[in-house]
Amino acid sequence: MYKKAFWISLILLGCFFLNGCGGVPAAEQSSFSFESASLPGDFPSASSFHSLSEQESIILKTYERLSKENLSYEEYFSQERYWETDGWGYALFEYRSDENAIYQKELDGTLRLFYAHDKPIDRLYWDNRYLFYFLSDHCIYRIFVPDCKVEKIYENPQMSGFSPLSNYAVLFAVPNPENEGKNSETDPSEPPDYFIYHAGKDSQWPLNPEEIGLDSIGGSITRSAREIYQIPAQ
């Protein structure tokens, strides 16, 4: 009986908390209002369901965490917060690059469309409890997951890549103009130019490669968001 009640609660959760964007293409700013989730405070532990697969247990534990905190859009953006990975996206969502679509995972293994973009997605950051970021057609978008609120926060035709730093700030790169006209196979090249863009202030400023811990030209960034960017005192 208890297990049946849990399944009913989980179905309601899927309907009201993450009902998806219905495949609607991202606009510059679009908001989809859904009733806030009301989760039972007495969630059973994953260990009580011995028949659950490992994947189902991960999904269940993630939903358990959801019952502890559920900030609204206004609450979440009332202060600047570091963008940090927490396992949320990989546990409850599946990304299909051939469809430019994100699907929500149900506990029974089925998938429900959460969001589909109308253009190819070049890069997706989807391992955060509240925010997904992605790059498409030289534009950076963010999705506030609980309401599936999609916003285009920055556009730059020269942008070659980006990385989220906070719920307001992103690090992005543009090709170094000194490399223009060089032979990429024989001529030494300079690293890209890096900038931080802050959506709340609508401003950007440059960074040196040393400031982000670039391990080599064309290499990877080795420093965390907290090491690269200092959130101003609030």
Side-chain angles (χ1 to χ4, degrees), residues 213-225:
L214 193 69
D215 58 8
S216 65
I217 295 177
S220 59
I221 297 171
T222 59
R223 294 184 178 176
S224 67

Side-chain angles (χ1 to χ4, degrees), residues 6 12 21 29 72 75-76 91-92 96-97 106-108 113 153-154 167 204 208:
F6 165 72
L12 291 175
C21 297
Q29 179 171 338
S72 67
E75 291 169 332
Y76 184 72
L92 292 187
R96 295 185 175 179
S97 58
E106 305 288 355
L107 190 59
D108 62 0
L113 180 64
I153 64 170
Y154 183 69
N167 52 346
Q204 67 183 55
N208 296 321

Side-chain angles (χ1 to χ4, degrees), residues 10 20 26 31 47 68 99 111 116 123 155 160 164 170 185 205 222:
L10 186 62
S31 177
S47 60
K68 300 177 182 178
E99 301 178 29
L111 297 174
R123 185 169 300 183
E155 180 176 3
S160 58
V170 295
E185 296 182 358
W205 57 92
T222 59

Side-chain angles (χ1 to χ4, degrees), residues 107-168:
L107 190 59
D108 62 0
T110 60
L111 297 174
R112 180 194 303 143
L113 180 64
F114 176 70
Y115 175 75
H117 198 58
D118 59 344
K119 295 180 180 179
I121 293 177
D122 299 321
R123 185 169 300 183
L124 172 66
Y125 294 91
W126 53 301
D127 194 15
N128 181 277
R129 158 86 159 84
Y130 281 96
L131 284 185
F132 293 167
Y133 277 97
F134 67 91
L135 178 66
S136 178
D137 196 27
H138 304 290
C139 297
I140 297 175
Y141 296 83
R142 71 184 178 195
I143 304 176
F144 181 68
V145 178
D147 292 339
C148 196
K149 184 185 178 81
V150 184
E151 299 170 289
K152 183 174 74 174
I153 64 170
Y154 183 69
E155 180 176 3
N156 187 331
Q158 294 183 312
M159 182 168 46
S160 58
F162 87 104
S163 180
L165 299 174
S166 76
N167 52 346
Y168 282 102

Side-chain angles (χ1 to χ4, degrees), residues 62-77:
T62 308
Y63 273 121
E64 285 179 322
R65 290 171 52 200
L66 181 60
S67 66
K68 300 177 182 178
E69 180 186 21
N70 187 21
L71 299 179
S72 67
Y73 179 92
E74 290 73 20
E75 291 169 332
Y76 184 72
F77 284 97

